[in-house]
Amino acid sequence: MIIGELDYVRPAGLTEALALLAGPGARILAGGQSLLPDLRAGTDRARLLIDVRRLAELRGITPTGGGGLRIGAATPLAELATDPAVLAGAPELAAAARANGDPQVRNLGTAGGNLVATGRPTDLPVAALVAGARAELAGPDGRTTVTTEELLTAGVPAGSILTALLVPGGGPAAAFEKTADRASRYPVCAAAVRITPDGVRIAVTGATARPLRLYDVEQRLGAGGGHRTEAVLAAFRAEPRSLFVPGRGTSAEYLGHLAGVLTARALARAAAALA
């Protein structure tokens, strides 16, 4: 099918989708919540849209060994937000999905699309970082997995498709907090946390240039600061202000403080889940 200057194909399976992706100007279409605005704005010059929304191997949430989960990349955010297994074992992922936009966005947007969206802050990456999730990729040479950090740093390799998010067994001791831009619903700042036997994991987006795991803050809190609000705020005050990127009407100082406040709230909720 030809729509204007675009070709549109709905492949029968992942093998066909990968073959089509090898062509010039090919793009994967799942929820379209990032790609379609980019096409309208002229910031993406796609020539072929490969619609993978109905590919069964890219959808659904299934349990894996040790209490883990496999979340298909084309799984709608609305399903991720309400799935009982995600709520029980990875509540930071469910909360991040629930924080996305409005019901229409969550029904159309996908887990994979939210993870790899470029040029805009999204909610799911920080939750995946603290959950210790890995990304499953399919490419010309077969399947492989990378850490969430590797995916966010390097992106999906050319000619490959993000097929799933692999989440290890976790539990309820995790949370997500967000202050959203009123117009776009993108995060001014969002923080995800997880409490583990080895300490805390903390990741922030919106206030930073890209989603970041804050290892230095984690170490300061693990060194005896605890999870009290003042300890968390002090740990964030020790971060260089250059880490936080000012936006419309915000300063680095404000964003650093906001990131600390949201992290403290999330840690309090995660700790309460253990009580």
Side-chain angles (χ1 to χ4, degrees):
M1 178 188 299
I2 300 178
I3 306 175
E5 298 179 354
L6 286 174
D7 287 346
Y8 170 92
V9 179
R10 181 176 288 167
L14 189 58
T15 300
E16 183 184 356
L18 286 168
L20 291 165
L21 189 59
R27 300 287 187 273
I28 294 296
L29 173 66
Q33 300 304 286
S34 297
L35 176 60
L36 296 183
D38 287 347
L39 291 173
R40 284 195 296 267
T43 56
D44 194 307
R45 301 289 185 179
R47 295 174 58 185
L48 172 65
L49 298 184
I50 306 167
D51 188 344
V52 299
R53 287 176 291 182
R54 298 187 182 182
L55 296 187
E57 55 260 61
L58 300 185
R59 295 179 66 93
I61 300 168
T62 54
T64 59
L69 297 170
R70 183 185 187 276
I71 300 169
T75 301
L77 292 170
E79 182 178 341
L80 183 61
T82 58
D83 184 89
V86 180
L87 290 167
E92 68 272 60
L93 288 171
R98 195 163 52 248
N100 268 268
D102 55 29
Q104 182 175 350
V105 169
R106 293 189 291 274
N107 284 326
L108 291 172
T110 62
N114 200 262
L115 273 175
V116 301
T118 58
R120 51 183 62 79
T122 54
D123 300 305
L124 210 56
V126 287
L129 282 170
V130 300
R134 294 183 66 85
E136 179 188 86
L137 303 167
D141 299 323
R143 300 210 183 202
T144 186
T145 65
V146 299
T147 67
T148 299
E149 285 179 300
E150 290 170 328
L151 178 72
L152 295 175
T153 300
V156 178
S160 296
I161 296 174
L162 175 63
T163 53
L165 187 64
L166 307 176
V167 184
F176 173 90
E177 290 284 338
K178 171 182 175 179
T179 294
D181 178 89
R182 290 187 177 183
S184 68
R185 300 301 299 166
Y186 290 129
V188 173
C189 181
V193 306
R194 176 165 283 278
I195 301 173
T196 76
D198 299 323
V200 297
R201 300 175 191 163
I202 299 168
V204 168
T205 194
T208 50
R210 61 184 180 86
L212 291 177
R213 177 102 177 259
L214 300 184
Y215 292 100
D216 288 345
V217 173
E218 294 174 3
Q219 290 178 359
R220 292 183 195 111
L221 294 176
H227 303 156
R228 300 184 310 277
T229 298
E230 279 308 313
V232 176
L233 294 180
F236 271 86
R237 283 195 294 271
E239 288 291 283
R241 294 300 94 176
S242 59
L243 180 69
F244 304 103
V245 180
R248 291 182 303 172
T250 62
S251 66
E253 190 67 30
Y254 168 78
L255 290 173
H257 179 73
L258 178 60
V261 169
L262 294 176
T263 298
R265 290 178 185 169
L267 282 170
R269 289 181 56 203
L274 288 175

